[in-house]
Amino acid sequence: MSQVPRPSQLTACPACREPLDPADNFCGGCGADLSAAPPALPDEGPADYRLALPDPGARTAVRAPLAPPAPPGDGPLRPAWPPGADASAGPGAPDPRTGAVLGVPPQAGHAAPGPPAGPDTARPAAGGTGRSCGSCRSGMIDKDGYCEHCGHAQPRERDHMEHELPGVAAVSDRGLRHHRNEDAYAVSAIALADGAPATVAVVSDGVSSATRPDEASAAACAAARELLVTALPQGDDPRQVTHDAIMRAAEAVNALAAPARGPLQHDPHRHENAPACTIVTAVVTGDLLTVGWVGDSRAYWVPEDRSTQPARLTEDDSWAAQMVAAGLLSEAEAYADERAHAITGWLGADAYEVEPHTASFHPDRKGVVIVCTDGLWNYAESAELMAEVTPPDARTRPLECARQLLAHALDGGGHDNVTVAVLPFPLAPEGAGSA
């Protein structure tokens, strides 16, 4: 393919801001055609980044340098679930943006339709996937997930995922502004030692300013879920198990850190950060609800009777939360500040000592637990707002509830990845042993 001249001042992709080399015709991050030089997207607003506060008196937010996104591989990172376990993110659901089914390669003889083959039609190259492009319908998709004709990146399996089990459902979506989904989740329905049902949900948000945040969130969910579904049936205390599961997740994320390397290719003054993420977990066992977290992913309680008070069950590890707790700013003032989402706790090799937060509750009425990343709660921050956008039949239709909450975030702008898990409380007896 001949090189198409571009404006010499184009040093970053106008669509996703990925650094560019002078010879690039297409963006390596999102696949945008650089010869057309499309205008940059509107400002995405503050991204997740980490805030180091070694001194309690320190008040300056320090944004960690942005690392280039990892190139797409042959498919999304799949956590290794324990043998026989029944859970995790399930790809293949309709994309709420287009209605198209993502993450399911066409079966043999059912490739996406395209123009008849001719002298100007791209044909599969050695090492290609044999699938035609969903954008131009004439090019073939190479092994890295890009069209060989127009260069567009194809939808990835993690762009939209959803799963439903007895007593829990979850949905995760790339959103409308990001070029990949850096969130992850894992859900399980298990039986305790006495045969009673229990449900588990783990949600994680990769820190965008770190390298490989999508791998960090996937590793954290896989590790936390594995410990939860192993220890809970043995009769261990749910709160202690939750603490141990988050510590196991931290170890899994730490293991992703690569040895120190030289400067990044596009910027000799920039180095990679260790993979990092936030995490929040929820466990429903009998009449007990247990949550755990590190970072700013949240859990909410929404009662079925909306005349009673909803509640936020977690407290952010963030600059804004620290300002409010110290009495220096009101909640409205703190979250209006550009430093509001700077997190002060995370999982990752460069984190300070990880100390998971855990809490247990005995709700005295029916309701649902909403476990989510800030891609959702940015559009329904208070418990009252979250209850307002939660459908009234959420307890009996948790998957539809998760889908509606996703739609609310997308309708609000979809500036970030969106992940939400919904756990009805109390559990129906038929959920026992469903795993």
Side-chain angles (χ1 to χ4, degrees):
M1 182 182 296
S2 61
Q3 181 174 343
V4 181
R6 295 188 290 106
S8 59
Q9 68 272 21
L10 195 61
T11 58
C13 174
C16 71
R17 303 190 178 116
E18 165 77 355
L20 303 172
D21 285 331
D24 287 345
N25 292 326
F26 300 99
C27 174
C30 68
D33 184 353
L34 301 176
S35 63
L41 287 173
D43 185 11
E44 295 185 8
D48 285 341
Y49 57 99
R50 291 167 286 179
L51 177 65
L53 289 180
D55 182 345
R59 304 299 179 200
T60 304
V62 181
R63 181 184 292 272
L66 293 173
D74 294 334
L77 180 68
R78 289 188 176 277
W81 307 118
D86 176 19
S88 91
D95 185 342
R97 296 174 292 268
T98 63
V101 175
L102 301 178
V104 182
Q107 301 298 315
H110 294 82
D120 298 324
T121 302
R123 300 176 183 276
T129 64
R131 295 188 287 122
S132 60
C133 175
S135 298
C136 70
R137 298 290 186 183
S138 60
M140 303 306 294
I141 308 307
D142 65 20
K143 63 181 180 63
D144 291 324
Y146 292 87
C147 175
E148 296 172 337
H149 179 70
C150 69
H152 280 94
Q154 301 304 295
R156 302 171 188 174
E157 225 171 342
R158 279 177 70 167
D159 280 0
H160 182 83
M161 305 178 292
E162 55 185 59
H163 203 84
E164 183 175 34
L165 294 170
V168 61
V171 171
S172 183
D173 191 85
R174 176 170 55 89
L176 302 179
R177 302 294 183 90
H178 284 265
H179 70 277
R180 66 177 174 184
N181 190 357
E182 296 168 356
D183 287 358
Y185 70 79
V187 294
S188 286
I190 61 175
L192 301 178
D194 60 359
T199 52
V200 169
V202 184
V203 167
S204 180
D205 185 354
V207 177
S208 299
S209 58
T211 186
R212 293 150 53 211
D214 52 338
E215 295 183 33
S217 61
C221 285
R225 176 202 164 277
E226 181 178 0
L227 192 144
L228 287 166
V229 302
T230 300
L232 288 171
Q234 297 175 1
D236 294 350
D237 175 62
R239 192 163 177 178
Q240 183 61 48
V241 172
T242 294
H243 177 279
D244 296 344
I246 294 177
M247 294 304 296
R248 178 73 60 84
E251 294 172 3
V253 178
N254 290 350
L256 296 176
R261 297 192 292 178
L264 299 181
Q265 175 184 356
H266 298 291
D267 189 342
H269 303 291
R270 186 179 295 171
H271 291 72
E272 285 188 354
N273 294 322
C277 63
T278 67
I279 190 170
V280 59
T281 68
V283 176
V284 175
T285 54
D287 64 348
L288 181 68
L289 163 62
T290 304
V291 297
W293 73 97
V294 170
D296 63 350
S297 292
R298 294 181 177 179
Y300 292 83
W301 164 255
V302 178
E304 190 170 56
D305 179 3
R306 298 306 166 81
S307 66
T308 58
Q309 189 71 19
R312 198 176 98 196
L313 306 178
T314 57
E315 187 67 39
D316 297 346
D317 290 317
S318 70
W319 180 90
Q322 287 199 351
M323 295 300 102
V324 175
L328 300 177
L329 294 173
S330 70
E331 188 168 353
E333 291 171 334
Y335 282 98
D337 193 284
E338 64 180 6
R339 297 166 290 182
H341 289 273
I343 57 175
T344 56
W346 63 87
L347 305 185
D350 58 354
Y352 291 100
E353 183 177 358
V354 175
E355 185 53 48
H357 310 284
T358 61
S360 293
F361 306 89
H362 287 276
D364 59 356
R365 62 204 68 197
K366 296 178 179 180
V368 292
V369 185
I370 306 294
V371 184
C372 63
T373 60
D374 61 350
L376 170 60
W377 66 251
N378 275 330
Y379 301 99
E381 190 167 312
S382 68
E384 291 73 20
L385 285 175
M386 186 63 73
E388 186 177 315
V389 300
T390 300
D393 60 352
R395 200 174 70 84
T396 56
R397 303 177 69 198
L399 180 57
E400 286 305 313
C401 170
R403 288 170 173 168
Q404 289 191 42
L405 292 174
L406 166 62
H408 174 76
L410 296 181
D411 290 344
H415 286 74
D416 201 352
N417 307 143
V418 184
T419 300
V420 55
V422 180
L423 297 86
F425 183 96
L427 287 174
E430 60 267 20
S434 60

